[in-house]
Structures are given as structure tokens and as C-alpha cells.
């Protein structure tokens, strides 16, 4: 039988762990002709998440726990879980159970039809606030407009990938990782299964508005240089406008003579161009910063301990 690896990052999910295993394990056991393992990555939790995960792994050898040295963020924790997975098929999953575990069997059915990647697409975003629905739609629209790599709309990390796809992901050397983009970049034969997402079973989301904004910036700068190119076009347009303005002033001076220019219009022009230049420098800084971090060649994450089948490994 094939082995399915469910890869799950955990960060301060103490309240959700009991519900998680009570729902996920029966759903995985119901998949015919499929063994499974659950790879749990503790991403530097400050509550008793790690202790609860280790206790489950001691009772059930199908549960493995990877304890990172600190909180590296969800993208790094997800990378660690995928790297540690041993399965023939790998399914990234969230601990909050907003994605129904029963959907996993449908993903497996599509994989058995010959697909390498099976995307779980949200049929709607009714569980989100109106503001989050609008910002999510704007992100997908803008990202896919400026990037050569298109991200499927309303598709998160929840998906099934074959071992061949995961091995391809491991070849990508980025340390600043935008996993949705990396998943899309590798390609392979892909299909989509729609589902309805529900509310969290317990706990609170770890993504604030500020974190989501930075996450969106990471997506834009990871897969497109158009934000840099825009400033070339904008600078060219301003330069052309300045030349036309200069030509107009010369002609007007020859025809009407010299007048006293307005200070307000001059100050406005200086402040406008100064602001545009600072924004351009900021965009350039985002890319220089990425080069700076990538040049360090630091690992994406560090593992402190591995817990499996009642044993502990460094």
C-alpha cells in the first residue's frame, strides 16, 4: 500500500490539538488501501502544544513530531514538514480544521486517476469577513497580473502532491519562501476539487492584518520584477513631461515675456517628485533586502528534536 504523509505546522494550537486528532485520524483510516503518517511541526509554540503532540506520538506511532528551535513562521514550518515527509503522496494541512479532513480521500481519488497535484479550492469565502474577501480577491488579481507564475484563486496550502512533485520542490533553494508560488512554479499535471471551508474549531488565527500585508508583499517580490520596471516607466513619463513643460515655457517666454512663477506650484512639484522617488527607493529596497537575505545562505529552519514512536532524536 502507498503511504500518505499529512504535513501539519503547529503554532500555539493547544486548544485545537484534541479536536484535530479526533477528526483527522478517523478520516485517514477510512481511505482504502492507504497507510498514513502525520508529520507535526512545532513552530516554536509558547504554550503546551509540543507536550501534547509528543504525548500523542507516544501513543500512536503514525504520528511524528518535529520540534523547531524557534518560531520560523508558517512557510518555514511547512517546508520542514514537507522535507520530513516520507510518503508517496503528501498533503499539507492546517491544525485549525477549517479544511475538512474528509476531503483528503477525494484528493487521493483524483491522484489515483493519474494527477500529480490535486488542488483543494474554496467554493466560496463565506467564513471570512467582507474586508478579507475583498483584500484576498485584490491580491490574487494583482499577483496574477504582474507575475508570470499564476496562483490559482482561493487555493491555499491544502492540496495533494505526489512524491515526484515534492522532490522537485526540494530542489528550489530559496530561503525566503512563498509556498503558494513555489507550488505553482513546479507545475505538473494538476486538477481541482472544490469544497466549503468552515470556522476554526478552537483558538485564534495567527495572521494579523499586518502579517497578511507582509505576506502579500512577499508574494509580489518573489515572482515578479514588474514593481521595479514600473518605476522605469514612471521616471520616463516624468522626464518626457518635464521636457514638454520646458519647451512650453521657452515658447511662452519668447511670446509673452518673463513673468513671476508661482511658489505654490513649484513646491507642490518638488514634494510630489520627492515622494515618488522615495516610493521607488522603497520598492528597490524590498528587492535588495531579498538579495541580502538570500546571499547569507542561512537554512530555512533548524530542528531541535524529532519525536516518533516513543523515541527522541536530535
Amino acid at each position: 500500500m502507498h503511504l500518505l504523509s499529512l504535513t501539519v505546522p503547529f503554532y500555539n494550537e493547544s486548544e485545537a490539538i484534541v479536536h484535530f486528532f479526533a477528526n483527522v485520524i478517523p478520516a485517514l483510516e477510512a481511505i482504502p488501501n492507504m497507510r498514513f503518517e502525520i508529520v507535526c511541526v512545532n513552530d516554536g509554540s509558547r504554550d503546551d502544544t509540543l507536550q501534547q503532540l509528543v504525548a500523542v506520538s507516544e501513543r500512536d506511532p503514525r504520528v511524528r513530531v518535529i520540534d523547531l528551535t524557534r518560531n520560523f513562521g508558517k512557510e518555514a514550518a511547512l517546508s520542514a514538514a514537507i522535507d520530513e515527509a516520507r510518503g508517496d503522496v503528501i498533503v499539507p494541512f492546517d491544525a485549525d480544521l477549517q479544511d475538512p479532513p474528509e476531503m483528503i480521500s477525494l484528493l487521493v481519488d483524483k491522484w489515483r486517476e493519474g494527477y500529480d497535484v490535486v488542488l483543494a479550492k474554496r467554493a466560496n469565502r463565506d467564513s471570512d469577513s467582507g474586508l478579507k474577501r475583498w483584500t484576498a480577491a485584490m491580491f490574487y488579481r494583482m499577483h496574477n497580473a504582474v507575475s508570470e507564475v499564476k496562483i490559482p484563486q482561493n487555493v491555499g496550502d491544502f492540496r495533494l502532491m505526489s512524491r515526484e512533485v515534492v522532490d522537485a520542490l526540494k530542489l528550489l533553494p530559496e530561503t525566503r519562501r512563498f509556498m503558494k508560488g513555489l507550488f505553482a512554479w513546479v507545475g505538473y499535471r494538476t486538477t481541482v476539487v472544490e469544497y466549503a471551508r468552515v470556522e476554526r474549531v478552537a483558538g485564534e488565527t495567527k495572521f494579523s492584518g499586518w502579517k497578511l500585508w507582509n505576506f502579500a508583499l512577499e508574494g509580489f517580490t518573489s515572482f515578479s520584477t514588474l514593481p521595479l520596471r514600473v518605476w522605469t516607466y514612471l521616471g520616463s513619463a516624468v522626464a518626457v513631461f518635464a521636457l514638454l513643460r520646458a519647451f512650453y515655457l521657452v515658447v511662452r517666454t519668447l511670446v509673452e515675456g518673463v513673468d513671476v512663477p508661482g511658489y505654490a506650484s513649484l513646491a507642490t512639484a518638488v514634494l510630489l517628485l520627492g515622494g515618488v522617488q522615495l516610493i521607488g527607493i522603497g520598492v528597490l529596497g524590498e528587492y535588495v533586502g531579498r538579495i541580502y537575505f538570500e546571499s547569507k545562505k542561512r537554512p530555512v529552519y533548524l530542528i531541535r528534536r524529532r519525536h516518533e514512536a516513543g523515541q527522541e532524536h536530535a
Side-chain angles (χ1 to χ4, degrees), residues 1-5 28 31-37 62 86-89 112:
M1 291 193 296
H2 293 287
L3 175 65
L4 182 149
S5 294
L28 294 176
I31 301 176
N33 301 318
M34 182 70 73
R35 297 180 297 120
F36 69 88
E37 65 171 1
R62 298 170 297 185
R86 301 166 180 165
D88 303 295
V89 292
R112 285 172 171 159

Side-chain angles (χ1 to χ4, degrees), residues 29-54:
E29 289 176 336
I31 301 176
N33 301 318
M34 182 70 73
R35 297 180 297 120
F36 69 88
E37 65 171 1
I38 304 176
V39 183
C40 306
V41 174
N42 176 50
D43 188 24
S45 299
R46 294 190 299 270
D47 57 12
D48 66 341
T49 293
L50 175 61
Q51 290 76 13
Q52 290 194 50
L53 292 176
V54 171

Side-chain angles (χ1 to χ4, degrees), residues 100-238:
E102 296 76 17
M103 281 292 302
I104 300 174
S105 64
L106 299 180
L107 304 185
V108 172
D109 290 341
K110 288 294 182 181
W111 169 72
R112 285 172 171 159
E113 292 177 10
Y115 293 99
D116 298 298
V117 179
V118 186
L119 305 178
K121 179 180 180 179
R122 298 174 64 172
N124 57 64
R125 303 187 71 99
D126 293 342
S127 60
D128 294 339
S129 64
L131 177 60
K132 190 170 182 181
R133 287 197 296 269
W134 180 81
T135 53
M138 289 298 297
F139 166 75
Y140 285 113
R141 188 175 299 119
M142 293 177 63
H143 183 280
N144 290 338
V146 304
S147 176
E148 295 181 1
V149 178
K150 309 303 180 186
I151 299 178
Q153 188 167 357
N154 295 331
V155 174
D157 297 325
F158 183 34
R159 64 190 66 209
L160 180 146
M161 298 176 290
S162 68
R163 168 52 57 183
E164 185 179 6
V165 175
V166 170
D167 289 341
L169 281 171
K170 291 182 178 181
L171 297 176
L172 306 182
E174 289 98 325
T175 57
R176 299 289 295 271
R177 301 176 74 80
F178 180 65
M179 296 303 293
K180 290 182 179 64
L182 297 181
F183 290 150
W185 186 89
V186 296
Y188 288 88
R189 191 182 181 201
T190 303
T191 190
V192 177
V193 174
E194 291 192 350
Y195 75 105
R197 211 173 194 215
V198 297
E199 298 289 340
R200 288 179 63 97
V201 293
E204 298 178 354
T205 179
K206 309 306 183 295
F207 277 96
S208 63
W210 179 248
K211 287 184 177 180
L212 288 173
W213 167 253
N214 287 321
F215 185 66
L217 284 181
E218 195 76 23
F220 286 125
T221 55
S222 293
F223 289 91
S224 176
T225 58
L226 184 61
L228 286 175
R229 198 174 303 129
V230 162
W231 296 101
T232 302
Y233 301 145
L234 182 59
S236 300
V238 171

